[in-house]
Amino acid sequence: MHTLTKGNPIKLVIMFTIPLLIGNIFQQLYSFMDALIVGRIIGETALAAVGATGSLTFLVIGFAQGTTAGLSILTAQAYGAGDGRAVRRSFATSIWISLAIAVVLTAVSVTLTEPLLIFMQTPKAILPGAIAFLRIMFAGTIASMGFNLLSNMIRALGDSRTPLLFLIIATIINIALDFLFILEFKMGVAGAGVATVSAEFISALLCWIYIKHRIPLLVLRRKDMAIDFKLIKDHLKVGLPMGFQMSIIAIGSVILQIMLNTLGTDAVAAYTAAGRIDQLATLPASSFGVTMATYAAQNLGAKEYGRIRRGVHQTLLLNVSISAILGFLIIVFGKPLVNLFLGPNEPAVTALAQTYFHFNASMYWLLAILFTIRNLLQGLGQSVVPTIAGFFELFMRAFAGVVLVANFGFAGASLANPLAWFGSVLVLVSAYFRTMKKLRQQEDEQVHELE
């Protein structure tokens, strides 16, 4: 395992982020390849069916991902403090919490799949495919939550490379199963869902085997698994706000998707294709953010307050610069990228997607600020401000869906993300400056004590 509490901050951040970024790219390839294979093999209607489920998938799976990321922050803090017993107890507590959440999420989401899609005014032409795909994805919630929990625990101990290896293996399996279920077994859109869930289950299994044989610090004994309600409460205080924050953001996406569905299949297909490219292009920003959470948590546990300040300043500069460059490239090369999904014979869809890129890609630098500061605060155990920032994202996306789409059509929908990022950053920046001031004061107190 690796510590982020010693050595050059920005070098450590970059070295931790590179495997994380590559892993996130492969994780995004799950949905990217689903959309590409479905769009090119089955057609635009099938692509729209997959796309229409995106906001609901994010609502449920995003909650699971956010919660497990929050749970691992306490594990990282214990590791930074050098307390092996606390690391194992944190891991065990996180497993109990994750199992309970996965069971509840699966039961509720599978039951409500069809009513929710109907409520969202999903076009009738794509409704059957959307229902089939989404139910399978929701049924696999435990696989998704299991992989995210285990990979986050491995990263909490400073290892971002091992989860990358498992993601690469799982992505290859996912692509192979996509072709098998869609082409060979003729399962249609449902085949893409089965392929994704199967790949996530394999990822989780590989992580568990690796932990059991290679990370003795995370090998649990019977006494570690004893249920401690105080520990559960402490973990829920960090994990649930991060999970709810993701769901709050997703609710805004659901409202936007409802209005987008009223614009027709072309608009849904364009938003789906552009959104998949958008997700890949913003992975560096989100990966630096995830690194910052682990970096801040470990250094907080080690009481290295000065290192936290230096690390976040350097990361902000690098993250903003990379994001601005990627945004420019996406705007320039957007058209051929969209054609990967549907081919060159859908000019109306391609034109709509290019509109999306002009509004979104030009603001990637703002998203980089959001990810870096939000994850810094979460890594330091602050959950209230990021949650409030999530409400601002919800409000902005809802405003775009209800007001801007009604008045400006697809261009209004394309404004939703930049507006959400802006609203969130407004909240986060003030908390960021207060936190930097507090860290400086704690660093000065340490210096005086040494003197």
Side-chain angles (χ1 to χ4, degrees):
M1 297 298 100
H2 309 284
T3 178
L4 301 176
T5 59
K6 293 180 176 62
N8 184 296
I10 192 60
K11 181 179 179 181
L12 288 169
V13 167
I14 292 173
M15 295 306 294
F16 189 90
T17 301
I18 288 174
L20 187 63
L21 172 60
I22 298 171
N24 284 338
I25 289 173
F26 275 93
Q27 192 165 31
Q28 284 297 329
L29 281 176
Y30 280 52
S31 59
F32 186 93
M33 290 306 299
D34 283 342
L36 191 150
I37 293 170
V38 166
R40 294 302 291 264
I41 295 176
I42 308 177
E44 177 190 344
T45 299
L47 176 63
V50 172
T53 67
S55 57
L56 286 177
T57 303
F58 184 34
L59 179 65
V60 175
I61 305 300
F63 177 81
Q65 292 173 340
T67 301
T68 55
L71 296 174
S72 70
I73 284 174
L74 292 180
T75 311
Q77 290 177 1
Y79 181 70
D83 190 341
R85 163 101 173 132
V87 169
R88 290 191 297 274
R89 296 290 287 128
S90 176
F91 182 32
T93 301
S94 299
I95 290 175
W96 287 122
I97 292 173
S98 298
L99 283 172
I101 291 175
V103 170
V104 173
L105 282 179
T106 301
V108 173
S109 60
V110 171
T111 302
L112 295 180
T113 296
E114 185 172 354
L116 284 173
L117 285 170
I118 293 173
F119 171 76
M120 290 174 63
Q121 302 181 53
T122 305
K124 290 183 179 180
I126 64 176
L127 184 60
I131 292 172
F133 180 80
L134 194 58
R135 275 188 174 150
I136 292 169
M137 294 295 291
F138 284 161
T141 298
I142 192 166
S144 177
M145 195 151 195
F147 171 69
N148 279 284
L149 174 67
L150 297 176
S151 61
N152 280 324
M153 287 295 163
I154 295 172
R155 293 189 189 104
L157 273 58
D159 180 4
S160 61
R161 298 179 182 179
T162 302
L164 164 63
L165 174 62
F166 299 151
L167 271 172
I168 292 174
I169 294 171
T171 301
I172 294 171
I173 293 172
N174 182 52
I175 295 170
L177 291 179
D178 268 333
F179 283 110
L180 178 65
F181 294 141
I182 294 173
L183 279 178
E184 187 68 24
F185 295 163
K186 308 296 182 184
M187 293 177 62
V189 175
V194 174
T196 299
V197 171
S198 299
E200 288 178 337
F201 177 79
I202 292 171
S203 298
L205 182 61
L206 289 173
C207 283
W208 181 258
I209 293 172
Y210 180 82
I211 287 172
K212 184 176 180 180
H213 293 285
R214 300 298 297 273
I215 311 180
L217 189 58
L218 291 179
V219 175
L220 302 177
R221 305 152 193 169
R222 180 173 295 180
K223 61 181 179 180
D224 296 322
M225 294 300 295
I227 296 176
D228 185 325
F229 288 103
K230 183 182 182 304
L231 272 179
I232 291 176
K233 182 179 178 181
D234 291 340
H235 281 69
L236 289 176
K237 280 183 179 179
V238 180
L240 285 183
M242 288 182 66
F244 284 130
Q245 177 196 316
M246 297 295 286
S247 292
I248 289 166
I249 295 170
I251 291 170
S253 299
V254 170
I255 295 171
L256 178 63
Q257 186 70 52
I258 292 172
M259 297 305 296
L260 188 66
N261 288 342
T262 66
L263 300 179
T265 302
D266 279 357
V268 177
Y271 207 89
T272 301
R276 293 293 191 269
I277 295 165
D278 205 33
Q279 288 169 357
L280 285 173
T282 57
L283 282 180
S286 63
S287 297
F288 276 114
V290 173
T291 295
M292 186 49 54
T294 302
Y295 176 88
Q298 283 197 14
N299 281 281
L300 180 66
K303 299 182 179 180
E304 293 283 353
Y305 307 117
R307 282 180 58 81
I308 298 173
R309 291 194 306 108
R310 290 191 296 275
V312 69
H313 291 158
Q314 294 169 354
T315 302
L316 263 175
L317 179 61
L318 181 61
N319 202 1
V320 168
S321 300
I322 292 174
S323 296
I325 293 170
L326 283 172
F328 172 77
L329 293 174
I330 291 298
I331 291 173
V332 172
F333 298 104
K335 183 176 179 179
L337 288 172
V338 172
N339 287 342
L340 285 174
F341 290 90
L342 296 168
N345 299 320
E346 299 289 345
V349 176
T350 302
L352 290 174
Q354 192 64 33
T355 298
Y356 176 98
F357 290 139
H358 280 299
F359 286 113
N360 281 258
S362 61
M363 301 300 290
Y364 283 171
W365 61 271
L366 185 63
L367 183 62
I369 296 174
L370 189 161
F371 277 131
T372 305
I373 296 178
R374 185 173 70 192
N375 282 275
L376 165 74
L377 298 177
Q378 291 169 338
L380 295 176
Q382 300 182 29
S383 57
V384 176
V385 172
T387 302
I388 294 173
F391 276 108
F392 270 72
E393 286 196 54
L394 164 61
F395 173 78
M396 290 297 192
R397 282 200 174 88
F399 172 77
V402 174
V403 178
L404 298 185
V405 172
N407 288 279
F408 302 103
F410 190 83
S414 299
L415 276 167
N417 284 335
L419 285 175
W421 303 339
F422 178 74
S424 184
V425 167
L426 280 180
V427 177
L428 294 170
V429 165
S430 60
Y432 168 74
F433 285 116
R434 289 196 303 271
T435 300
M436 290 300 103
K437 182 179 179 180
K438 182 179 179 181
L439 289 173
R440 180 181 288 277
Q441 290 172 345
Q442 290 174 314
E443 183 182 13
D444 291 341
E445 289 172 4
Q446 281 184 326
V447 172
H448 291 316
E449 289 175 2
L450 290 174
E451 291 175 350

